[in-house]
């Protein structure tokens, strides 16, 4: 089976498993796990923030951040297609009690302008606008990069308004490697950042939330409230430390995604916007194939390729360390055959 559903499906490397088996551990709720501390310090240093917090998932990192940045009834500005809105089970309203103001196309080019247009003055009727959430790379955008200069401009505007900026940087290293820029070029444009170890970096579990010391202390309490106070978590952090060293390898995933996208674009009935293939994701649109993306994925699975539906006529394919270049070619062939099968039916 060629699994292109997500980069979350990656398996730990032998180095990770070895590091996990040898990890020095303690009770992290007491702050006594040396491997967790080491990972948190390394993460904070890497993204240029004072402090960092190890969390089991990206979702918990984002939600603890939203809770720590806001109070009930506050407004959080966010792209309408952001992960926080689409895939976190309504947690911002469920847990933080905030209102989301969803901004279409915020992350697709005119970020500072769209942000500015969404600002509201102080008024008895309005919810206080406290937080802006950005996402880089932009998952539902197809793994696209939000340019650092756009982020910087937006950050400046948010500061003038007295708003904080949180970055969902689940795949920020994909952005930095693909753009050929330091990760700090992106992370200096936000107050807090969450990034994941468990996606393209290949760790089995874990994400980090980074920010100022006082912010992280607040978030640590929310992590506990969310059930994320782990004990001998050094076993997981040890794999995370190995994952941090796998950043440069992400360029292989990006090359494979490009190769896949170019191969798919030679199939007449489908379309890939090559400009949007900037990191490890490919969004394939079925143009003249009268089948839903769900049925298409079901048929692909029967033929040995796992992919994810993306809206009504889109399919998401994600490259990662556990798919080889030869499998990418094979997947291209299988997708071609599947398209042909459905075209014949139509
Ligand atoms: N994304 C997953 C699914 O949840 C959709 C995927 O397969 O892409 N932020 C972004 C931008 C993400 O893409 C994800 C995971 C998360 C946050 C949440 O991370 P986890 O899964 O660790 O909670």
């Amino acid at each position: 089976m060629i699994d292109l559903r997500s980069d979350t499906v990656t398996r730990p490397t032998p180095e990770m498993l070895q590091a996990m088996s040898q990890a020095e551990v303690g009770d992290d709720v007491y702050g006594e796990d040396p491997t967790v501390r080491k990972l948190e310090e390394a993460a904070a240093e890497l993204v240029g923030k004072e402090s960092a917090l190890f969390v089991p998932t990206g979702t918990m990192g984002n939600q603890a951040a939203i809770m720590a940045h806001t109070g009930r009834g506050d407004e959080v500005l966010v792209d309408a297609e952001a992960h926080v809105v689409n895939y976190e089970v309504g947690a911002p309203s469920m847990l933080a009690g905030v209102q989301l103001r969803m901004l279409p196309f915020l992350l697709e080019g005119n970020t500072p302008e769209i942000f500015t247009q969404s600002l509201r003055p102080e008024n008895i009727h309005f919810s206080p606008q406290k937080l802006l959430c950005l996402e880089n790379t932009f998952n539902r955008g197809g793994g696209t990069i939000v340019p650092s200069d756009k982020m910087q401009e937006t950050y400046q505007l948010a500061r003038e308004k007295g708003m904080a900026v949180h970055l969902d940087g689940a795949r920020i290293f994909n952005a930095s490697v693909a753009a050929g820029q330091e990760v700090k070029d992106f992370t200096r444009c936000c107050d807090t950042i969450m990034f994941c170890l468990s996606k393209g970096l290949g760790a089995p579990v874990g994400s980090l939330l980074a920010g100022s010391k006082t912010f992280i202390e607040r978030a640590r309490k929310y992590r506990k409230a969310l059930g994320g106070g782990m004990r001998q978590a050094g076993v997981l952090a040890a794999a995370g430390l190995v994952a941090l060293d796998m950043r440069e390898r992400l360029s292989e995933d990006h090359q494979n995604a490009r190769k896949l996208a170019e191969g798919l674009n030679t199939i007449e009935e489908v379309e890939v916007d090559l400009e949007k293939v900037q990191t490890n994701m490919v969004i394939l649109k079925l143009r003249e194939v009268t089948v839903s993306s769900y049925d298409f994925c079901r048929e692909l699975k029967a033929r040995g390729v796992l992919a994810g539906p993306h809206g009504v006529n889109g399919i998401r394919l994600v490259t990662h360390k556990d798919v080889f270049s030869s499998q990418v070619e094979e997947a291209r062939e299988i997708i071609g055959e599947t398209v042909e099968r459905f075209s014949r039916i139509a």
Side-chain angles (χ1 to χ4, degrees), residues 6 57-59 62 83 88 135 139 168 170-171 199 316:
S6 182
T57 63
T59 301
N62 280 336
H83 193 277
E88 299 190 13
E135 185 178 309
N139 184 342
D168 175 346
R171 297 185 180 83
K199 311 254 164 349
R316 187 183 79 156

Side-chain angles (χ1 to χ4, degrees), residues 3 7 66 78-79 86 96 98 102 121 128 135 179 182-183 195 200 205 222 239 246 259 262 292 324-325 338:
D3 196 344
D7 47 11
I66 293 173
V78 60
D79 191 289
N86 284 276
V98 292
M102 290 176 242
E135 185 178 309
E182 292 293 318
V183 74
F195 72 83
V205 176
Y222 285 114
M246 295 188 44
K259 179 163 128 185
E262 285 170 357
S292 77
F324 311 117
S325 177
T338 312

Side-chain angles (χ1 to χ4, degrees), residues 5-8 56-60 62 83-84 87-88 135-139 168-171 194 196 198-199 206-207 281 316 318:
R5 283 172 302 172
S6 182
D7 47 11
T8 58
T57 63
T59 301
M60 190 185 286
N62 280 336
H83 193 277
V84 161
Y87 300 115
E88 299 190 13
E135 185 178 309
N136 209 357
T137 61
F138 177 27
N139 184 342
D168 175 346
R171 297 185 180 83
M194 181 286 292
C196 294
S198 60
K199 311 254 164 349
S207 295
M281 292 187 192
R316 187 183 79 156
V318 186

Side-chain angles (χ1 to χ4, degrees), residues 100-237:
L100 295 181
R101 179 167 292 267
M102 290 176 242
L103 311 178
F105 309 115
L106 175 71
L107 301 175
E108 300 201 52
N110 299 323
T111 311
E113 293 79 4
I114 293 174
F115 171 69
T116 306
Q117 286 158 15
S118 68
L119 295 177
R120 306 174 95 194
E122 168 50 32
N123 183 292
I124 182 78
H125 299 91
F126 300 163
S127 158
Q129 296 186 303
K130 284 283 173 61
L131 178 67
L132 168 68
C133 280
L134 298 175
E135 185 178 309
N136 209 357
T137 61
F138 177 27
N139 184 342
R140 278 189 67 84
T144 44
I145 301 167
V146 182
S148 58
D149 57 339
K150 297 279 177 192
M151 281 186 63
Q152 185 54 46
E153 206 183 317
T154 312
Y155 185 40
Q156 196 53 42
L157 292 164
R159 291 179 94 152
E160 282 163 21
K161 170 80 180 169
M163 279 170 73
V165 176
H166 171 66
L167 174 62
D168 175 346
R171 297 185 180 83
I172 194 62
F173 296 111
N174 293 83
S176 103
V177 166
Q181 287 179 264
E182 292 293 318
V183 74
K184 284 181 190 157
D185 290 342
F186 296 95
T187 56
R188 71 166 64 96
C189 315
C190 60
D191 297 291
T192 59
I193 173 179
M194 181 286 292
F195 72 83
C196 294
L197 301 166
S198 60
K199 311 254 164 349
L201 298 181
V205 176
S207 295
L208 285 126
L209 175 63
S212 71
K213 208 160 176 291
T214 49
F215 174 86
I216 292 299
E217 281 321 304
R218 230 175 16 259
R220 191 177 292 280
K221 282 231 168 193
Y222 285 114
R223 181 187 72 171
K224 187 76 178 81
L226 293 170
M230 298 179 286
R231 303 297 178 171
Q232 285 71 39
V235 174
L236 302 173

